[in-house]
Amino acid sequence: MMPTRTRQWLGHRMNSHLDWPASRALALKGDTTISVVLPAKDEQETVGSIVTAIRESLVERVPLVDEVVVIDSRSTDNTAKVAARAGATVHAQDDILPDLPGLWGKGEALWKSLAVTSGDVVVFVDSDIRNFGPHFVTGLVGPLLADPDLAYVKGCYSRPLRQEDSFNPFDGGRVTELLARPLLNMCWPDLSGFVQPLAGEYAGRRTALEEVPFVCGYGVEFALLVDLADLVGVDRMAQTDLGCREHSHQSTAALGRMSGQILDTAWSRMHRHGIVTSEHPPSSGITQFVQTADGYESLDWEVRVSERPPMSRVLGGRGAAPRPRQPLR
């Protein structure tokens, strides 16, 4: 059963993107600066249209967004060129903080983006969305601009599963339903009201985002949800219904490896919270099987994820000039 306090939070902190047209968000913007960040790895087919939509609608037509940044995560296609032509500022992931050992993964790109952006509010948007609209940005920043006490807004949406011979309007979030939601309900019931805990679209105040660690792999969204709740409290978090989100889907085997990374991320948080007390870490690998003409072949994968410290510690240790920002209340 959802805790009563979580049900009350859900009634109080759920927004709709329909309530946040760009004009309304702009009227509340004041001197708050907004950065939109797209992590991208081999997304040349979609990244350009997303950047173009943001630039035309939210930079040129309505001056809401101050910078659009793409972090190219070791793409092997023309992702960087396409994004730059569309109007984004493009940074290669490994060129940011180059004296640090390079790590892999989406979370690494998100973490490094904090070192090359300056907005008071940072919006993260995945670069594989096929039905992107400006409401993916305005629906997230609007509540933050309206309520200075809010620190983080998470997107939620329906996720259709489109395959060659079938279409299901609700089955796109398989890892969410099979792993992430059961974990949250079991260990962090105060977070069970988040409809899409693994959603790649969310916005936060820089003052909050720079104070939490970033998991480098696929566990980054799960970790941010748990760690930001620790930092600011669930009452200062909200979510916005963004409608429907269509994107490319991974194979079941790939989702299994993703689940392993999320489970490793959850284990580390359970250990820190005292939910589990084992002194021995769990196995860092996952074995999968593929059927061949001769039987079954086993494949071993590493799923333990690395983790970056809060960006404030890294930039502070380098004597970086302080950036103007809103205070973390």
Side-chain angles (χ1 to χ4, degrees):
M1 297 291 291
M2 180 183 291
T4 300
R5 62 183 180 277
T6 304
R7 197 173 300 279
Q8 293 171 341
W9 171 88
L10 190 59
H12 178 56
R13 289 302 197 187
M14 173 66 88
N15 303 273
S16 169
H17 73 87
L18 297 175
D19 297 328
W20 293 106
S23 58
R24 184 185 178 196
L26 180 64
L28 296 169
K29 175 179 167 68
D31 59 359
T32 301
T33 53
I34 298 171
S35 302
V36 177
V37 172
L38 288 81
K41 179 177 174 62
D42 296 332
E43 300 293 355
Q44 65 179 13
E45 301 301 322
T46 50
V47 69
S49 61
I50 296 174
V51 170
T52 298
I54 297 171
R55 175 178 53 78
E56 291 180 348
S57 298
L58 302 179
V59 177
E60 297 172 353
R61 190 175 307 139
V62 177
L64 179 68
V65 171
D66 297 281
E67 59 180 351
V68 183
V69 174
V70 169
I71 307 297
D72 183 34
S73 189
R74 304 174 184 172
S75 295
T76 58
D77 64 2
N78 290 318
T79 290
K81 291 181 180 179
V82 171
R85 283 199 300 264
T89 299
V90 180
H91 295 273
Q93 175 180 303
D94 293 332
D95 290 345
I96 305 170
L97 305 176
D99 53 328
L100 296 178
L103 299 177
W104 61 271
K106 176 186 178 182
E108 172 82 344
L110 299 180
W111 181 74
K112 284 191 169 181
S113 75
L114 297 177
V116 294
T117 56
S118 59
D120 301 312
V121 169
V122 183
V123 186
F124 294 119
V125 176
D126 279 349
S127 55
D128 66 342
I129 304 174
R130 295 174 177 172
N131 64 329
F132 180 84
H135 67 281
F136 277 83
V137 175
T138 59
L140 296 173
V141 302
L144 288 165
L145 296 173
D147 185 350
D149 197 46
L150 274 181
Y152 182 74
V153 178
K154 184 85 170 175
C156 65
Y157 28 64
S158 62
R159 296 181 62 187
L161 178 60
R162 191 186 301 273
Q163 298 177 315
E164 290 185 3
D165 57 350
S166 66
F167 175 82
N168 190 301
F170 304 111
D171 275 2
R174 290 166 287 174
V175 176
T176 290
E177 299 303 328
L178 295 173
L179 178 67
R181 192 178 311 287
L183 278 171
L184 289 176
N185 278 266
M186 180 182 294
C187 301
W188 296 278
D190 285 354
L191 298 174
S192 62
F194 282 93
V195 179
Q196 294 287 353
L198 303 183
E201 286 68 51
Y202 42 93
R205 299 194 189 278
R206 178 177 296 275
T207 44
L209 294 171
E210 288 192 354
E211 295 301 325
V212 292
F214 273 62
V215 166
C216 294
Y218 282 116
V220 59
E221 278 86 18
F222 192 98
L224 283 174
L225 202 60
V226 172
D227 294 345
L228 284 168
D230 279 348
L231 178 69
V232 303
V234 179
D235 287 342
R236 296 186 57 207
M237 303 167 73
Q239 63 184 333
T240 296
D241 183 354
L242 299 175
C244 176
R245 181 190 192 276
E246 296 187 31
H247 65 111
S248 57
H249 295 285
Q250 300 193 53
S251 67
T252 301
L255 294 180
R257 298 189 290 274
M258 179 190 300
S259 296
Q261 293 182 29
I262 294 169
L263 189 55
D264 184 72
T265 300
W267 175 274
S268 67
R269 270 70 192 164
M270 287 189 285
H271 198 272
R272 293 174 196 174
H273 285 231
I275 298 171
V276 294
T277 57
S278 172
E279 296 181 0
H280 303 288
S283 171
S284 64
I286 181 173
T287 299
Q288 296 179 318
F289 293 90
V290 294
Q291 191 168 13
T292 69
D294 299 322
Y296 289 92
E297 178 183 352
S298 64
L299 301 173
D300 295 325
W301 304 90
E302 174 69 42
V303 295
R304 178 156 297 165
V305 291
S306 302
E307 189 171 305
R308 292 293 197 182
M311 181 60 77
S312 62
R313 299 181 191 174
V314 177
L315 296 181
R318 293 162 180 267
R323 286 175 277 208
R325 61 187 63 179
Q326 295 177 335
L328 180 60
R329 291 162 56 94

